[in-house]
Amino acid sequence: QKEVEQDPGPLSVPEGAIVSLNCTYSNSAFQYFMWYRQYSRKGPELLMYTYSSGNKEDGRFTAQVDKSSKYISLFIRDSQPSDSATYLCALELSGGGADGLTFGKGTHLIIQP
Amino acid sequence: GAGVSQTPSNKVTEKGKYVELRCDPISGHTALYWYRQSLGQGPEFLIYFQGTGAADDSGLPNDRFFAVRPEGSVSTLKIQRTERGDSAVYLCASSLSGGKNIQYFGAGTRLSVL
């Protein structure tokens, strides 16, 4: 079993739909949780950064962490064609930059106009 | 300001050759990371530098892979005796030390070993 499981998709939804992306992890020592967006042939860019259970909202994006279930989610409201990309969850054991990130496989999201 | 810059953007080489991949981090970022991303996979951690020293090289797959950061800024990832299985996108990221570890990624070097 990999440390982080993420459904690779593709996930195809119509424009304006609410998108739900998820990851599960096995190591309870992970403390920091991120979502990155990666467009084709580009590097990942950070969307959300969280470090506690609960919800964090930023514009159309909401990150949710449930440490007891080892489950993290990213919700995208009012999805746009420009949201079409691969979404990667990333986890970190400790803060402060002392660790590399452990990524999921990424979910390929397609928003149909 | 400028982001993380990686050169070359694409590199094609033959099996058995030596390659060097370069990373220019964001100015002032003391932490630098290398990752490898194979097709359809998420990035996999290779090595982490804090300043000039490799603080964690546990992700390097074998001794054919080596990385340096002699002046604490630019880093070079070196791969000896390349194999077809080394074909992947090699990503570099940098961050400020301390506080939130927000890593900023370059666009990567796409390495193809024929």
Side-chain angles (χ1 to χ4, degrees):
Chain A
Q1 181 189 11
K2 296 198 70 165
E3 280 197 286
V4 182
E5 298 283 352
Q6 184 176 10
D7 187 336
L11 175 63
S12 183
V13 301
E15 182 176 356
I18 295 174
V19 175
S20 172
L21 304 167
N22 312 291
C23 288
T24 58
Y25 62 96
S26 56
N27 187 350
S28 58
F30 285 120
Q31 298 185 51
Y32 298 85
F33 309 92
M34 287 144 271
W35 285 95
Y36 280 82
R37 178 175 62 194
Q38 187 174 28
Y39 291 112
S40 181
R41 298 189 172 261
K42 301 289 187 183
E45 65 173 316
L46 183 68
L47 286 176
M48 301 290 282
Y49 181 104
T50 56
Y51 53 88
S52 59
S53 284
N55 293 353
K56 180 178 180 179
E57 188 174 318
D58 185 359
R60 296 185 295 112
F61 298 92
T62 299
Q64 190 173 79
V65 174
D66 183 347
K67 287 186 176 181
S68 63
S69 300
K70 300 191 192 68
Y71 188 86
I72 62 175
S73 300
L74 178 71
F75 298 95
I76 307 174
R77 291 183 300 281
D78 187 24
S79 55
Q80 305 294 312
S82 58
D83 295 329
S84 298
T86 295
Y87 289 79
L88 297 153
C89 62
L91 290 70
E92 186 184 13
L93 291 171
S94 63
D99 299 299
L101 302 178
T102 300
F103 283 87
K105 186 178 288 195
T107 298
H108 182 44
L109 175 65
I110 301 166
I111 307 298
Q112 305 162 346
Chain B
V4 177
S5 176
Q6 291 189 246
T7 54
S9 55
N10 289 281
K11 176 71 178 177
V12 180
T13 190
E14 293 179 346
K15 179 176 178 293
K17 298 290 188 183
Y18 168 83
V19 296
E20 290 189 352
L21 312 179
R22 176 187 167 107
C23 173
D24 268 285
I26 293 171
S27 178
H29 281 193
T30 56
L32 185 146
Y33 307 80
W34 284 99
Y35 294 83
R36 178 168 71 176
Q37 187 173 25
S38 300
L39 191 64
Q41 303 294 318
E44 290 183 293
F45 169 76
L46 296 177
I47 187 170
Y48 154 60
F49 286 90
Q50 180 57 250
T52 59
D56 182 355
D57 63 358
S58 62
L60 294 178
N62 51 60
D63 61 6
R64 296 187 297 105
F65 288 75
F66 190 71
V68 295
R69 195 186 185 199
E71 297 178 357
S73 179
V74 171
S75 176
T76 304
L77 179 65
K78 308 181 180 195
I79 310 174
Q80 298 178 321
R81 305 182 304 279
T82 52
E83 300 177 357
R84 292 195 178 88
D86 298 335
S87 296
V89 175
Y90 289 81
L91 293 165
C92 176
S94 69
S95 72
L96 288 169
S97 295
K100 292 182 181 179
N101 179 17
I102 296 177
Q103 297 187 19
Y104 297 86
F105 283 80
T109 294
R110 186 173 299 271
L111 175 66
S112 299
V113 182
L114 304 179

